[in-house]
Amino acid sequence: MEKTPSGTAVGVDDPYDHAGLCDHLTDEGRCRYAFEYPQHDPEFAAERREEEFVCPVANPDGDWNWDDCPHFRCRNRKRQCIRCGLEERRMAHSDERPLLEEHHLSYASDGETLSHEITVYLCRWCHAKVHKSWARIDDDVNPDPEALAEAEGRRSKEQVETAFETAANRYDDDSTE
């Protein structure tokens, strides 16, 4: 199983099995990274420019895989734990700890910098289990009882905030005396 630089498990054997499309890939199959950041990798940008910025992985005639691209990045945007399915419930103007945390699946072989950025969301309970045990991100599990209680508590707060209260109920008749 892949490990973090500190030696804890990340919950997968191959991060690319859980990666989707590159964040830099446009709907037309072009590489946005080479177009927007040519100064970061001039050689890569020049190669992509010669081929009209066509992504070498998305190109049907190409033989690249995502792990061949030096600028591949895949960040999961679905605000749901991929392990247990718990959905995020964020409270506006609150500094409560989020239910979901971003989890990196890929680390560089030297252990100091990330190689390709491949991230998913895990609830903080699953995140702890993945890093502190042999739990895997593709385990078929239900949300922790604590996680469900926390999510339901936030849902209750949301409902209270959106409840309609008439002016007659908000102001006491005694307050005018």
Side-chain angles (χ1 to χ4, degrees), residues 61-78:
D61 299 329
D63 58 349
W64 281 36
N65 293 317
W66 291 124
D67 55 341
D68 296 327
C69 181
H71 303 292
F72 175 70
R73 180 181 77 183
C74 179
R75 296 174 62 203
N76 184 323
R77 303 262 189 247
K78 191 173 182 183

Side-chain angles (χ1 to χ4, degrees), residues 26-44:
T26 67
D27 291 342
E28 295 83 29
R30 308 241 185 268
C31 179
R32 183 179 294 116
Y33 183 88
F35 183 78
E36 291 181 359
Y37 306 105
Q39 70 278 13
H40 293 180
D41 189 346
E43 185 178 320
F44 178 79

Side-chain angles (χ1 to χ4, degrees), residues 104-141:
H104 288 90
L105 297 179
S106 177
Y107 290 85
S109 57
D110 64 5
E112 296 200 12
T113 58
L114 289 173
S115 54
H116 290 133
E117 187 174 6
I118 303 173
T119 63
V120 295
Y121 280 106
L122 290 173
C123 70
R124 60 185 195 228
W125 295 269
C126 287
H127 201 192
K129 288 176 185 170
V130 166
H131 279 302
K132 294 181 180 176
S133 70
W134 287 100
R136 301 178 63 82
I137 66 166
D138 53 3
D139 290 342
D140 186 21
V141 297

Side-chain angles (χ1 to χ4, degrees), residues 47-177:
E47 289 173 11
R48 301 285 41 90
R49 190 178 312 107
E50 285 176 17
E51 296 182 25
E52 298 180 6
F53 296 101
V54 171
C55 171
V57 181
N59 182 356
D61 299 329
D63 58 349
W64 281 36
N65 293 317
W66 291 124
D67 55 341
D68 296 327
C69 181
H71 303 292
F72 175 70
R73 180 181 77 183
C74 179
R75 296 174 62 203
N76 184 323
R77 303 262 189 247
K78 191 173 182 183
R79 302 293 282 177
Q80 179 179 19
C81 177
I82 66 163
R83 188 167 182 265
C84 73
L86 185 75
E87 291 186 22
E88 178 66 281
R89 289 203 170 277
R90 298 207 59 158
M91 301 301 295
H93 313 293
S94 172
D95 19 342
E96 290 181 274
R97 184 175 174 193
L99 298 178
L100 299 181
E101 299 171 337
E102 199 170 32
H103 175 69
H104 288 90
L105 297 179
S106 177
Y107 290 85
S109 57
D110 64 5
E112 296 200 12
T113 58
L114 289 173
S115 54
H116 290 133
E117 187 174 6
I118 303 173
T119 63
V120 295
Y121 280 106
L122 290 173
C123 70
R124 60 185 195 228
W125 295 269
C126 287
H127 201 192
K129 288 176 185 170
V130 166
H131 279 302
K132 294 181 180 176
S133 70
W134 287 100
R136 301 178 63 82
I137 66 166
D138 53 3
D139 290 342
D140 186 21
V141 297
N142 291 321
D144 237 49
E146 289 178 43
L148 288 174
E150 182 72 27
E152 281 304 307
R154 290 181 184 193
R155 189 174 75 77
S156 296
K157 288 178 187 176
E158 284 175 355
Q159 288 177 335
V160 167
E161 287 182 9
T162 60
F164 177 77
E165 192 174 358
T166 66
N169 291 341
R170 281 186 275 157
Y171 302 106
D172 289 332
D173 291 333
D174 299 335
S175 64
T176 58
E177 294 178 6

